């Protein structure tokens, strides 16, 4: 049956220039390259200096618009997943729309779902497109996590990085089958009973400060493998496709052992699993659009490929998206 699909017609990413290596970190806290590499798979991460989340977002969005062959005035909606907005309010999306000169009057808002922020943002944008409320959407995942990292805490400071990724979605008529291009299925979840397993310790209504990342690493790790696998399985089943039909698994880039665990659980061959955590670290809501854009830009992910995206983060929140590029 004919239906509206949200097709990814543009992709972009941006990483701030400063690179922080494991050796650099070993001079700041009691750690070393061997521990970080074997426990997390991370080698380097990028750190924003003098650039805000909106600045990174604008750079990633400019690239996405260029790849789409569109102007910012063609955009009907801007939605950003982030936990590190420039101000408590307004949204970073509103700021981006002003900085880029978007059409006046278009809806702009942020989605607060931590590392699942981009998956949530993409789902909301997809739903608005399928309802016919907007035709063309700019969806961003962007973070300057370096602002909420305690640089004296070796348990967390080695894990995170800054960056941004963006996609342009456009409404396209589909046949309602899994052969359509565009987003084929989405599924979001949360479990608030795990609120204290991973959080940033500040807040407007509590400390009146931004705070620092606090994490029960083992708890998050255990949960992440199951949640990312569950969300991936759900969207594949919903669209009536099997693991064999899928070209790429793109899980949230937090830790190579989590990524490998999900690949293994789903029965996905290693060479079909996208890994960028080694050179980005965990960039929270930016991790998926960064990895997607990088893989599309390099030609790894091609037109027509079927990609399973899965995300998991604080809340806990998690979710899956099945998309044919
Ligand atoms: O985006 C979603 C959010 N985050 C995640 O998905 C992260 C999920 N969790 C993880 O990735 C892992 O749990 C970590 C990488 C954070 C930790 O790995 P682990 O294998 O669970 O290590 P651990 O917490 O069991 O720590 C083992 C040891 C401890 O020492 P003791 O108590 O055994 O003597 C830590 O103190 O490693 C120590 N340690 C470190 N040593 C060197 C912790 N951090 C470091 C460090 N360098 N940076």
């Amino acid at each position: 049956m004919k239906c509206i699909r949200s097709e990814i017609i543009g992709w972009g990413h941006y990483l701030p220039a400063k690179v922080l290596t494991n050796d650099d970190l070993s001079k700041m806290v009691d750690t070393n390259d061997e521990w970080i590499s074997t426990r997390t798979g991370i080698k380097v991460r990028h750190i924003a200096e003098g650039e805000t989340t909106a600045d990174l977002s604008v750079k990633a969005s400019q690239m996405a618009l260029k790849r789409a062959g569109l102007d910012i005035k063609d955009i009907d909606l801007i939605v950003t997943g982030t936990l590190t907005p420039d101000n408590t309010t307004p949204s970073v999306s509103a700021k981006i729309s002003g900085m880029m000169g978007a059409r006046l009057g278009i809806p702009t808002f942020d989605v607060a779902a931590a590392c699942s922020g981009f998956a949530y943002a993409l789902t909301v944008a997809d739903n608005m497109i399928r309802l016919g409320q907007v035709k063309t959407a700019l969806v961003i995942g962007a973070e300057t996590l370096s602002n909420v990292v305690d640089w004296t805490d070796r348990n967390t400071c080695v894990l995170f990085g800054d960056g941004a990724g963006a996609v342009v979605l456009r409404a396209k008529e589909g046949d309602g089958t899994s052969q359509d291009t565009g987003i084929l299925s989405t599924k979001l979840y949360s479990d608030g009973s795990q609120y204290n397993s991973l959080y940033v310790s500040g807040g407007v209504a509590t400390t009146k400060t931004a705070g620092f990342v606090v994490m029960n690493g083992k708890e998050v790790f255990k949960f992440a493998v199951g949640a990312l696998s569950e969300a991936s399985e759900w969207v594949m089943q919903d669209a009536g496709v099997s693991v064999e039909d899928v070209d790429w698994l793109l899980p949230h880039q937090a830790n190579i052992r989590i990524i490998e665990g999900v690949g293994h659980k789903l029965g996905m061959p290693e060479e079909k699993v996208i890994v960028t955590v080694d050179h980005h670290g965990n960039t929270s809501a930016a991790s998926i659009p960064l990895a997607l854009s990088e893989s599309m830009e390099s030609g790894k992910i091609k037109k027509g490929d079927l990609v399973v995206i899965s995300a998991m983060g604080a809340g806990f929140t998690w979710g899956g998206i099945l998309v044919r590029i």
Side-chain angles (χ1 to χ4, degrees):
M1 201 171 63
K2 295 281 181 205
C3 65
I4 298 175
R5 300 285 194 194
S6 309
E7 196 181 19
I8 296 179
I9 60 164
W11 54 91
H13 61 275
Y14 177 75
L15 291 160
K18 184 180 171 180
V19 168
L20 192 67
T21 66
N22 292 347
D23 286 337
D24 294 333
L25 281 161
S26 71
K27 293 176 193 119
M28 297 159 63
V29 288
D30 182 14
T31 191
N32 54 70
D33 176 52
E34 206 264 330
W35 191 96
I36 303 171
S37 300
T38 53
R39 298 290 179 121
T40 71
I42 300 167
K43 285 288 188 187
V44 298
R45 65 290 287 146
H46 290 248
I47 304 294
E49 280 181 332
E51 287 176 305
T52 67
T53 299
D55 294 328
L56 309 191
S57 302
V58 167
K59 296 259 175 56
S61 300
Q62 284 166 339
M63 178 176 162
L65 286 169
K66 202 167 170 191
R67 295 293 175 272
L70 295 182
D71 183 84
I72 187 66
K73 299 280 189 226
D74 298 318
I75 295 296
D76 305 325
L77 163 73
I78 301 176
V79 50
T80 306
T82 188
L83 66 89
T84 48
D86 289 20
N87 289 89
T88 304
T89 199
S91 69
V92 76
S93 299
K95 187 167 179 182
I96 294 162
S97 75
M99 288 166 75
M100 296 187 74
R103 242 173 38 243
L104 298 183
I106 65 163
T108 60
F109 57 92
D110 295 351
V111 172
C115 298
S116 310
F118 181 77
Y120 268 66
L122 203 60
T123 300
V124 172
D126 174 46
N127 286 333
M128 288 178 73
I129 286 174
R130 289 191 300 115
L131 277 172
Q133 294 175 337
V134 297
K135 195 163 175 262
T136 311
L138 177 60
V139 185
I140 303 163
E143 303 284 9
T144 50
L145 292 176
S146 56
N147 293 314
V148 290
V149 162
D150 176 354
W151 291 104
T152 64
D153 177 13
R154 72 172 182 173
N155 291 296
T156 52
C157 77
V158 302
L159 304 174
F160 300 102
D162 299 339
V167 297
V168 177
L169 291 182
R170 181 135 79 177
K172 189 193 178 196
E173 194 178 79
D175 293 327
T177 74
S178 62
Q179 292 308 313
D180 288 350
T181 52
I183 294 175
L184 302 178
S185 179
T186 60
K187 176 72 174 169
L188 301 177
Y189 308 79
S190 79
D191 176 359
S193 73
Q194 299 276 5
Y195 193 86
N196 291 324
S197 297
L198 173 58
Y199 61 97
V200 177
S201 58
V204 177
T206 51
T207 61
K208 301 181 176 62
T209 61
F212 296 111
V213 175
V214 181
M215 179 171 69
N216 179 340
K218 280 202 186 314
E219 200 56 51
V220 179
F221 192 107
K222 260 193 304 189
F223 194 88
V225 176
L228 293 165
S229 307
E230 175 188 25
S232 304
E233 272 165 354
W234 197 97
V235 291
M236 285 190 281
Q237 204 173 2
D238 183 50
V241 303
S242 66
V243 161
E244 291 73 36
D245 300 320
V246 171
D247 297 293
W248 299 102
L249 178 67
L250 200 176
H252 172 49
Q253 304 287 312
N255 183 319
I256 189 66
R257 292 185 295 144
I258 294 176
I259 296 167
E260 285 171 357
V262 176
H264 185 73
K265 212 161 176 209
L266 294 173
M268 187 68 97
E270 212 178 293
E271 60 277 11
K272 288 184 162 192
V273 181
I274 303 280
V275 177
T276 58
V277 70
D278 54 329
H279 54 285
H280 295 162
N282 181 348
T283 56
S284 184
S287 107
I288 287 168
L290 256 173
L292 182 67
S293 172
E294 215 179 80
S295 305
M296 292 186 64
E297 197 62 13
S298 70
K300 194 170 185 177
I301 297 182
K302 297 182 181 61
K303 191 82 195 138
D305 281 358
L306 190 59
V307 185
V308 175
I309 290 170
S310 56
M312 185 269 162
F316 289 150
T317 54
W318 65 108
I321 290 163
L322 183 74
V323 58
R324 188 176 296 284
I325 301 298

